[in-house]
Amino acid sequence: MLAKIAWQSLRSRRYTAWLTLLSIAISVFVLLGVEHIRFEAKESFSKTVSGVDLIAGARTGQLNLLLYSVFRIGNPTNNISWQSYQAFANDPKVAWTIPISLGDSHRGFRVVGTTGDFFERFRFGENARLDFSEGRAFAKVFDVVLGADIAKKLNYRLHDPIVLAHGLGQVSFSSHDDRSFTVTGILKPTGTPADQALYISLQGMEAIHLNWRDGVKIPGKRIMDEDIEKRDLTPKSITAFMIGLQSKMATFQVQRQINQYAKEPLLAILPGVTLMELWEMMRAMENTLQLISYLVLFSALLGLSTMLLSSIRERQREIAVMRAIGASSWFVFLIIQLEALLIVLSAIILAICLLAVALHFSKTYLAENFGIFISNLVMNDSIIMHLGIIVASTFLLSLIPALSAYRLSLHQGLTVRN
């Protein structure tokens, strides 16, 4: 009976109740949306690279090594000699390696010199491998594979010629215009930094620098195709390399070997641990988003409390009638609390439905444009905790109008003010 009376009371003020419900639904939508995207972004971020036990490079900060080797952000402090790389690549405890050589670009996108193992061994997300939407991996010295974003933004197709530039700037005056690469493959979108790079062989990287010295092209010196075929294109150095081990038990042993390597100052990092450290640095932004969401929600709940409080004076006759038929003051108190709860629960259901629909239709867009892989809305512990906070906050803020109605029913009884 209590619920029926509360429902009928809300129906008598349906327009005000609907507006309040909508404002709370939007607030809950924002709060749950931010929480869900934050959780999914964190998961997606931590899965930018998977299956890699160690990343090694020249000695620098851990975050810097991670940023330039995985996210293509920043610059390496130094290179690694090919001999040092070979020493660890041939270690019995190492199952595979992916060498990475950076330093060139194409219209602002990084060029990555690597081997065919990159397409076979590199994993992202839930151990997903790189797939080709068109073509195949590079096989010749001047073949190039494009990330999905580059092919889309620059409108490249298979067999298109591409000229690389020396350095990493958007505009470069030192281009490798005496030798062009041919597009042989385009990767499928991954939503990771892999979409925003061009991939050539280490031999190709070495070949375009044959007539260069100390970062400057030697004037008048041109290398002919037949000369390139005769040259030894084994790289002299690389920028970093990813490592997969035979056994996870050897992770810290190999990491210590690399960090204490006597012939060259090197650094090895655990990518998962360093990714979490990087995420921790962004916790301030994460907390700010949550704070804004809670302030919006608090504002909406305060509006609900105000709406109920302002209706108390209009409902003096209604309260007097309830008292006359034997309803206690606590009954009146519970009616007001139940009305607030009905509005908030309806708003929560509406917000969850809207959020589920919005996530379903936006996840492809978020993955392709922002690299955020989000799943459909799942009622995990965090979401349930936030819903509990919303209900508890509703009870607390509704105490103001409920106690007002309680006192009114005590003092006025059947007396109605005009």
Side-chain angles (χ1 to χ4, degrees):
M1 185 178 69
L2 198 67
K4 188 176 180 181
I5 294 174
W7 176 251
Q8 291 299 331
S9 176
L10 287 175
R11 283 193 63 187
S12 67
R13 291 171 284 111
R14 61 176 67 90
Y15 297 114
T16 309
W18 265 112
L19 286 175
T20 308
L21 187 150
L22 282 176
S23 68
I24 297 175
I26 292 171
S27 305
V28 176
F29 177 89
V30 172
L31 178 66
L32 298 187
V34 167
E35 177 59 24
H36 184 71
I37 292 176
R38 182 195 67 80
F39 178 80
E40 294 291 326
K42 185 176 181 180
E43 290 291 305
S44 176
F45 185 78
S46 64
K47 293 172 182 172
T48 302
V49 56
S50 66
V52 175
D53 296 309
L54 291 169
I55 298 176
R59 192 165 295 170
T60 179
Q62 294 193 43
L63 290 179
N64 187 43
L65 175 56
L66 179 78
L67 288 174
Y68 73 72
S69 62
V70 175
F71 293 93
R72 323 287 182 234
I73 298 172
N75 297 306
T77 54
N78 208 344
N79 280 342
I80 307 171
S81 71
W82 184 252
Q83 290 73 21
S84 297
Y85 162 68
Q86 285 293 314
F88 292 104
N90 295 324
D91 191 303
K93 295 185 286 298
V94 174
W96 52 264
T97 58
I98 301 174
I100 295 170
S101 186
L102 304 173
D104 287 340
S105 63
H106 176 71
R107 298 175 66 177
F109 294 99
R110 298 276 182 121
V111 175
V112 180
T114 184
T115 64
D117 284 337
F118 178 79
F119 306 106
E120 296 294 328
R121 302 289 189 179
F122 184 81
R123 297 288 186 273
F124 65 95
E126 297 290 348
N127 204 32
R129 59 177 295 169
L130 296 172
D131 285 326
F132 286 85
S133 60
E134 296 179 75
R136 52 169 176 77
F138 49 70
K140 299 179 180 178
V141 173
F142 294 108
D143 289 348
V144 59
V145 173
L146 305 183
D149 282 357
I150 297 175
K152 182 179 178 182
K153 291 178 180 176
L154 303 182
N155 197 27
Y156 281 139
R157 297 286 183 269
L158 290 181
H159 312 301
D160 282 352
I162 287 179
V163 175
L164 307 184
H166 194 73
L168 305 174
Q170 181 76 25
V171 178
S172 176
F173 298 101
S174 301
S175 63
H176 300 284
D177 51 3
D178 53 341
R179 194 73 57 185
S180 65
F181 284 75
T182 303
V183 178
T184 60
I186 298 173
L187 295 173
K188 286 184 177 178
T190 64
T192 71
D195 295 344
Q196 300 184 1
L198 302 87
Y199 302 92
I200 64 174
S201 66
L202 290 175
Q203 290 73 26
M205 182 72 83
E206 192 70 16
I208 56 177
H209 291 96
L210 285 175
N211 55 342
W212 287 62
R213 182 177 296 167
D214 299 328
V216 179
K217 186 187 290 186
I218 302 172
K221 186 175 182 179
R222 180 179 174 83
I223 306 296
M224 307 304 291
D225 289 346
E226 51 272 23
D227 293 333
I228 292 175
E229 294 174 359
K230 297 175 183 175
R231 295 289 189 97
D232 178 12
L233 296 178
T234 303
K236 298 177 181 60
S237 63
I238 59 173
T239 306
F241 59 100
M242 300 179 181
I243 302 173
L245 298 172
Q246 298 284 4
S247 168
K248 302 292 183 187
M249 301 288 288
T251 301
F252 295 106
Q253 184 182 356
V254 175
Q255 185 185 26
R256 187 166 56 251
Q257 286 179 0
I258 296 174
N259 290 340
Q260 297 177 352
Y261 190 59
K263 297 181 179 178
E264 195 171 358
L266 301 178
L267 173 70
I269 61 170
L270 301 169
V273 175
T274 312
L275 277 169
M276 287 299 100
E277 289 180 6
L278 187 57
W279 183 262
E280 286 298 317
M281 293 176 64
M282 295 190 286
R283 184 168 290 279
M285 184 186 70
E286 183 184 350
N287 292 338
T288 302
L289 285 175
Q290 276 192 325
L291 178 63
I292 293 172
S293 303
Y294 270 114
L295 287 176
V296 172
L297 177 65
F298 178 74
S299 172
L301 291 181
L302 204 59
L304 169 66
S305 178
T306 305
M307 185 272 287
L308 291 173
L309 188 61
S310 63
S311 70
I312 296 299
R313 183 170 295 276
E314 302 168 1
R315 299 168 65 182
Q316 292 184 53
R317 187 177 298 279
E318 178 186 334
I319 293 172
V321 171
M322 283 193 287
R323 291 283 285 151
I325 60 176
S328 66
S329 298
W330 284 111
F331 186 87
V332 176
F333 174 89
L334 290 176
I335 287 287
I336 302 300
Q337 283 285 3
L338 194 57
E339 286 181 15
L341 193 62
L342 281 174
I343 290 177
V344 169
L345 289 179
S346 301
I348 288 175
I349 293 172
L350 179 61
I352 289 175
C353 293
L354 289 175
L355 184 58
V357 173
L359 290 174
H360 178 75
F361 287 104
S362 65
K363 59 185 180 182
T364 304
Y365 176 81
L366 291 174
E368 291 182 355
N369 293 278
F370 298 99
I372 300 175
F373 291 92
I374 57 171
S375 59
N376 293 326
L377 184 63
V378 177
M379 302 302 287
N380 54 38
D381 292 344
S382 177
I383 296 288
I384 292 173
M385 183 192 74
H386 281 85
L387 294 180
I389 292 174
I390 294 171
V391 173
S393 303
T394 302
F395 174 77
L396 291 175
L397 287 173
S398 300
L399 281 176
I400 302 171
L403 288 174
S404 176
Y406 175 83
R407 284 198 297 271
L408 185 67
S409 65
L410 279 179
H411 296 308
Q412 292 188 335
L414 291 173
T415 304
V416 180
R417 293 178 183 174
N418 296 317

